[in-house]
Each structure stands twice: as C-alpha cells, then as structure tokens.
C-alpha cells in the first residue's frame, strides 16, 4: 500500500502553464509532413497546417511551442524563410539527415501555426553561425511597429502588425552543436547578443540564456555569475537515454530491467534539477530567473528502416510513465521551473503525435498531457508520497509518483503506479480535512504497449475504482497506470 498526504496550506507557488510546453524543430518529419503539409496538400489543412494535428494540440491546451531548434537553430538564417517561396533559399540540413530544407516553413508560417493552436511562440535565435545584427533585426521584424526598412519588409510580406513574440532564446546548446563554446565565452556572447534584442513598445522580451546539459554545474555557475542579471530564464537540457548513447534501447522491444533503468533515469531529473537550482539560488535568491527545461524526454534507437537522422521512435506506456515522473517533478519545483518543453511534438523522439501520410495517432505521452492539464496555472500543493521501492539492485525508485494542485476550489491529484505488473492500493489523505467525493480518469496498459496506425487502443478512460473511507480516498491503481483524480 502507498500513501499520499496533501497539505493545502503548504505550496511552492503557482504551477506555470508553460511547464506543459512543447518543442518542434526542423528535424525529420516533425515540421514537414508532421505539422506542415502546404496549402496544396490533399491532407486537410488550413494555410498548410494539418487540421488533425492542430486539433490534437488544441485539445491539450498546448501553451507554448519552441522553434526552430535545437541544433538547427544555430544554422538557421531567418531571412531565408520569409517572402515569396520561389525566392527562399534552399539549404542542406546538416544536423538532421542531410536532407534539403526549402525554407517553406519560416517565421510567418510558425506564427500562423501558433495562432491556430492558440499557443505562445518561443523562438531560439542563432548565436553559433549568425550575427548580432541578424538576431537584432529578427526581433525588430517580429515586434516593432515603428517605421523602418525591416518593418516595411514585414508589411510587404503580408503582415501589418507586430506579433509581439515574448519568449526569446539566445542560442541553443552553445556548449555543443551551438558552437562548442566555453561558458566564459558564451556568457560574454550572451550579454552582447541579448543587448541588441530590443524591447519594442509593450512587447517585453523574456530572454533565455543557454544553460547546462545534464550535470554541468560549472556552466550554470559561470552563466549565473557573469550574465545572471541580464537574463530572465536559463535553459537546461536532459534526456532519458537508457543504455547510454552507444547502446540505446529499442522504443518498443525492451526488458523489465530496461523499463526500470528508464524510469530511474527519469526520476534522477529531480537531483539534477536541484543541483542547478541550488547554484541559481546563490546568485538569484528571489528566484527571478526561471529554469527553462526546454528539452527533455526519452531518446531511443530510431525505428528500423527509418533515416537515423530523423530520430523517429514509437512511444509506449513506458514513455507515458517517463512523462508522468517528469511532470510531477516539475510541478513540485514550480518555484524555480517556469517552462519545460518535451522533445519533440510530432514524429521525433518522445512525440505526443505520430503521423504516416494522412494518418495520425496520439501516443500514450499525449494522454499524460491530457491528464495533467488541470495543473496549468494552479496553486501547487505539498504532496508527500510514501511508497515502496521498485526496480533492480542497480536501478530503483519509489513505485508511486504524484503531484497535486488547487484551482477554483478543486484539487487535482495526478498519480502513477510505476510497477509494470502489480496493482497498488494508494490512500490519499488531505491534511486536517475529510475527502467527500472524487472523480477520475486513467491511462493504463502493458509497459510495452503502444498505439499504432489503425490499432490505437490506449486512451484516457473514466476511472472510478476508488472509495471514500474515514475521510480518505482509497484508490486501486492498476499496474503501469497514470490517473487524474479530482477532489
Ligand atoms: O532534440 C534533438 C536535439 O537534441 C536538439 O536539436 C539538440 O538541442 C539536442 O541535442
């Protein structure tokens, strides 16, 4: 039996809705084919965007979308992707599969996508191979309503008013694919680039500096020390890669030991996050700078027969459990975590949506975002979990993960039974209060079950296998399940 104790009087603050953010890069079939098919496609679309995919993104109230990369961002020159299609430059996407990028999806198309989805854009500018002027003029093109050649150019391209983009990334993984920079060098570059990203009128930028990968504490230290005062957010990337880079797992064919290793790596996100947050606390005790976990999720071997540079992987209940573990951690640390963006939205890595021609399938990970949506902008509640350990000698973790929040007088608890085979009884208590009634929804299946085209059985279902006893809620959680309980 596991216990969850919730205290309405203790909270880390508001769970930013941006924690439920996503990421779409010019990588494989994420943008092209997955989201954007062009106006002339036989796949139903609005201004080139797939209607089915946009509808699915809307249904989970997707709050923010990061673009154009990723590694692609530091090779992307925004002027190549504006104006008449026949004048747009073509390039080879050297990071991802060596395919030709025709720049048919550019700034106007991305912002049209965000309009259709109803989400905020988060754009990452090019530091690695771009100039300060190029970045500065992109911000001007997006956000200025003054009279200048750049603004006239935007108007000539069909957009009269500024868009008012708020979230602005200054380079991506500048320690790696973004330029192999040392932290001292990047900190100086960050200061210079961000200085020329102007604030236009009401449009105040939220500037995000490139932060560490994994446990590179020195990067965080140097950045906070040398540039902390001129950033609003610091990014952090961390992927779940069981077996490591050289022995990656198959996304669908894995053992129970692989499953435990995967979940233990995911749970370790909390330790890593806290390592960086503690350094940030020293330079920024008031927690003004947000931790922006703008790339996270599973990274497995690509599906057999697919382009290795496209990072296309299936998505099982194991991925769903990974998502639940991460989102519970982010909720608990909402005092520092302001945004998170799972990688990546469609057809890449831990995708929420997969497409094949005109077909679309929603993955188990998608349904976790559906189950967690009530946490957005809610007050986080202290949620203490007591659960036995599961796993192997090498990789173990508590068998239950949970988080809780309150909005409009209703409490939402998300809880998961991570055990792949055993059901678990979970008792939920509210400190100093009796629980009267509850309603629930659940996603459950075998650890390696997935939704395939034409055979998608996994989905969120109504859940009522619980009862109130002595003011507590006793929930019978099936093996490998994620539930939302509303009190
Ligand atoms: O998400 C795939 C890649 O992973 C991104 O392009 C890069 O930032 C990271 O290394």
């Amino acid at each position: 039996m596991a216990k969850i104790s919730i205290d309405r009087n203790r909270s880390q603050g508001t769970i930013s809705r941006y924690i439920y953010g996503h990421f779409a890069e010019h990588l494989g079939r994420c943008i092209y084919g997955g989201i954007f098919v062009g106006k002339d496609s036989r796949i139903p679309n609005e201004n080139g965007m797939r209607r089915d995919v946009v509808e699915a993104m809307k249904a989970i109230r997707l709050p923010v979308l990061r673009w154009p990369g990723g590694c692609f961002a530091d090779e992307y020159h925004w002027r190549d992707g504006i104006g008449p299609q026949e004048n747009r430059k073509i390039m080879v996407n050297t990071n991802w599969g060596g395919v030709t990028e025709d720049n048919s999806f550019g700034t106007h198309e991305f912002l049209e996508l965000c309009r259709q989805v109803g989400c905020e854009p988060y754009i990452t500018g090019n530091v690695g191979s771009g100039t300060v002027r190029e970045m500065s003029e992109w911000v001007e093109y997006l956000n200025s309503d003054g009279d200048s050649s750049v603004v006239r150019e935007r108007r000539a391209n069909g957009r009269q008013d500024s868009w008012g983009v708020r979230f602005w990334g200054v380079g991506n993984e500048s320690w790696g694919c973004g330029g192999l920079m040392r932290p001292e060098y990047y900190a100086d570059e960050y200061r210079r680039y961000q200085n020329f990203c102007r604030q236009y009128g009401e449009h105040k930028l939220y500037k995000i500096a490139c932060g560490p990968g994994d446990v590179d504490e020195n990067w965080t230290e140097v950045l906070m020390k040398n540039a902390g005062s001129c950033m609003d957010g610091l990014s952090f990337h961390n992927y779940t890669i069981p077996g490591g880079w050289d022995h990656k797992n198959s996304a669908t064919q894995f053992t129970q030991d692989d499953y435990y290793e995967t979940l233990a790596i995911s749970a370790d996100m909390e330790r890593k996050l806290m390592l960086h947050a503690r350094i940030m606390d020293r330079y920024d005790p008031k927690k003004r700078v947000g931790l922006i976990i703008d790339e996270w999720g599973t990274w497995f071997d690509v599906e057999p027969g697919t382009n290795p540079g496209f990072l296309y992987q299936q998505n099982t209940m194991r991925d769903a459990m990974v998502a639940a573990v991460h989102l519970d951690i982010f909720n608990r640390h909402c005092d520092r975590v302001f945004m998170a963006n799972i990688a990546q939205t469609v057809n890449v890595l831990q995708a929420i949506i997969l497409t094949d021609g005109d077909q679309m399938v929603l993955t188990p990970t998608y349904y976790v975002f559906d189950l967690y949506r009530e946490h957005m902008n809610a007050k986080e509640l202290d949620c203490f979990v007591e659960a036995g350990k599961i796993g192997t000698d090498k990789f173990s973790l508590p068998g239950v993960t949970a988080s809780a929040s309150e909005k409009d007088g209703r409490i939402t608890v998300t809880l998961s039974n991570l055990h792949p085979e055993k059901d678990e009884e979970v008792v939920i208590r509210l400190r100093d209060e009796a629980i009267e009634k509850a309603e629930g929804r659940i996603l459950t299946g075998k650890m390696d079950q997935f939704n395939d085209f034409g055979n998608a059985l996994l989905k969120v279902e109504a859940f009522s296998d619980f009862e109130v006893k002595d003011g507590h809620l006793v929930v019978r959680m099936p093996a490998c399940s994620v539930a939302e309980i509303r009190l």
Side-chain angles (χ1 to χ4, degrees):
M1 187 185 72
K3 293 181 194 161
I4 297 177
S5 310
I6 297 167
D7 188 344
R8 277 177 118 169
N9 296 313
R10 295 179 61 199
S11 168
Q12 296 294 326
T14 301
I15 297 173
S16 159
R17 71 191 183 103
Y18 303 115
I19 283 178
Y20 292 86
H22 293 257
F23 168 38
E25 179 167 9
H26 287 237
L27 196 178
R29 296 185 300 113
C30 184
I31 299 284
Y32 296 111
I35 294 174
F36 183 71
V37 287
K39 288 180 185 154
D40 300 331
S41 172
R42 63 180 178 81
I43 297 174
N45 70 84
E46 181 181 347
N47 294 329
M49 315 297 158
R50 290 180 72 123
R51 281 188 200 276
D52 52 358
V53 170
V54 168
E55 281 311 311
M57 290 161 90
K58 278 164 74 173
I60 52 167
R61 305 180 202 151
L62 189 146
V64 61
L65 189 61
R66 177 175 184 247
W67 174 85
C71 297
F72 183 77
D74 282 291
E75 278 196 308
Y76 182 64
H77 300 282
W78 68 274
R79 282 189 180 283
D80 297 349
I82 56 170
Q85 180 59 44
E86 59 275 18
N87 298 341
R88 294 194 188 183
K89 276 197 185 157
I90 58 168
M91 66 183 279
V92 170
N93 189 334
T94 54
N95 282 291
W96 306 118
V99 291
T100 297
E101 161 68 60
D102 69 359
N103 278 301
S104 52
F105 188 92
T107 299
H108 291 252
E109 290 75 20
F110 173 61
L111 290 157
E112 167 63 8
L113 169 66
C114 292
R115 182 195 69 76
Q116 289 186 24
V117 173
C119 69
E120 284 186 53
Y122 166 15
I123 295 181
T124 299
N126 180 344
V127 172
S129 68
T131 63
V132 170
R133 177 176 179 176
E134 185 181 351
M135 189 184 289
S136 170
E137 288 187 350
W138 199 3
V139 175
E140 184 182 1
Y141 190 87
L142 294 162
N143 285 359
S144 173
D145 286 305
D147 187 23
S148 71
S149 301
V150 172
V151 173
R152 288 185 189 188
E153 193 179 0
R154 182 189 73 220
R155 291 185 172 143
N157 287 333
R159 175 76 189 192
Q160 180 65 23
D161 296 332
S162 60
W163 282 281
V165 171
R166 179 178 172 213
F167 296 116
W168 192 257
V170 180
N172 168 75
E173 295 194 354
S174 304
W175 35 264
C177 63
L180 282 178
M181 300 176 200
R182 291 172 300 109
E184 293 78 7
Y185 179 78
Y186 172 74
D188 284 346
E189 288 292 86
Y190 172 78
R191 292 167 66 109
R192 190 164 72 105
Y193 274 75
Q194 69 80 32
N195 188 59
F196 298 96
C197 295
R198 303 296 189 194
Q199 316 283 2
Y200 291 98
E202 301 286 284
H203 304 318
K204 190 172 177 328
L205 287 178
Y206 182 101
K207 296 176 186 172
I208 299 168
C210 164
D214 201 39
V215 289
D216 186 353
E217 293 169 80
N218 183 48
W219 185 278
T220 307
E221 178 85 37
V222 173
L223 261 290
M224 287 305 292
K225 184 171 171 198
N226 297 324
S229 61
C230 50
M231 66 175 78
D232 300 295
L234 182 70
S235 73
F236 170 38
H237 290 182
N238 187 62
Y239 284 97
T240 296
I241 313 170
W245 287 110
D246 296 331
H247 302 97
K248 292 199 285 295
N249 276 198
S250 151
T252 52
Q253 287 167 358
F254 53 88
T255 63
Q256 212 170 80
D257 282 6
D258 295 331
Y259 172 86
Y260 287 129
E261 179 183 350
T262 309
L263 295 195
I265 296 172
S266 297
D268 197 35
M269 167 57 104
E270 187 150 32
R271 179 185 65 88
K272 293 177 181 170
L273 182 162
M274 286 168 75
L275 282 179
H276 297 298
R278 267 209 288 270
I279 298 168
M280 294 175 81
D281 285 350
R282 270 196 275 120
Y283 294 95
D284 175 36
K286 294 200 172 137
K287 302 186 196 291
R288 183 191 61 80
V289 179
L291 190 58
I292 309 293
I293 305 170
D294 53 16
E295 287 187 31
W296 67 272
T298 55
W299 194 317
F300 301 129
D301 255 346
V302 296
E303 290 306 314
T306 64
N307 186 330
F310 281 13
L311 310 185
Y312 175 73
Q313 63 191 43
Q314 247 296 355
N315 194 288
T316 64
M317 279 301 295
R318 172 173 66 163
D319 294 82
M321 308 319 268
V322 165
V325 168
H326 277 86
L327 294 172
D328 286 336
I329 294 171
F330 299 158
N331 285 347
R332 279 200 288 280
H333 292 274
C334 65
D335 57 330
R336 183 59 88 178
V337 180
F338 182 65
M339 188 194 291
N341 310 72
I342 188 170
Q344 300 191 7
T345 319
V346 189
N347 293 333
V348 171
L349 298 176
Q350 192 176 347
I352 55 168
I353 300 167
L354 300 176
T355 66
D356 182 9
D358 61 356
Q359 297 183 78
M360 179 192 81
V361 86
L362 303 177
T363 68
T365 301
Y366 176 90
Y367 289 113
V368 175
F369 279 83
D370 184 28
L371 289 168
Y372 275 64
R373 63 187 186 203
E374 290 302 327
H375 287 311
M376 287 194 242
N377 280 349
K379 177 184 160 196
E380 188 266 351
L381 300 182
D382 191 79
C383 177
F384 185 67
V385 180
E386 291 169 84
K389 289 253 170 131
I390 60 167
T392 60
D393 288 347
K394 206 166 163 204
F395 297 106
S396 68
L397 75 164
V400 171
T401 173
S403 60
S405 69
E406 181 168 9
K407 191 164 54 183
D408 303 328
R410 289 200 74 180
I411 294 175
T412 300
V413 190
T414 45
L415 67 158
S416 306
N417 175 9
L418 303 177
H419 200 290
E421 285 175 338
K422 287 195 193 131
D423 298 356
E424 180 74 276
E425 191 170 270
V426 184
V427 179
I428 303 178
R429 300 158 195 263
L430 262 189
R431 193 173 166 195
D432 300 332
E433 274 177 82
I435 295 174
E436 284 166 14
K437 56 180 182 177
E439 50 186 285
R441 299 190 299 148
I442 198 164
L443 171 72
T444 184
K446 294 213 175 350
M447 70 174 184
D448 54 358
Q449 199 179 336
F450 58 90
N451 281 341
D452 210 348
F453 299 98
N455 184 23
L457 296 178
L458 294 166
K459 59 178 190 306
V460 167
E461 287 171 302
F463 178 54
S464 56
D465 199 1
F466 46 74
E467 64 204 333
V468 176
K469 262 195 202 155
D470 303 328
H472 304 147
L473 194 72
V474 182
V475 187
R476 282 167 294 277
M477 289 288 289
C480 204
S481 61
V482 187
E484 175 209 47
I485 305 273
R486 303 202 69 207
L487 307 177

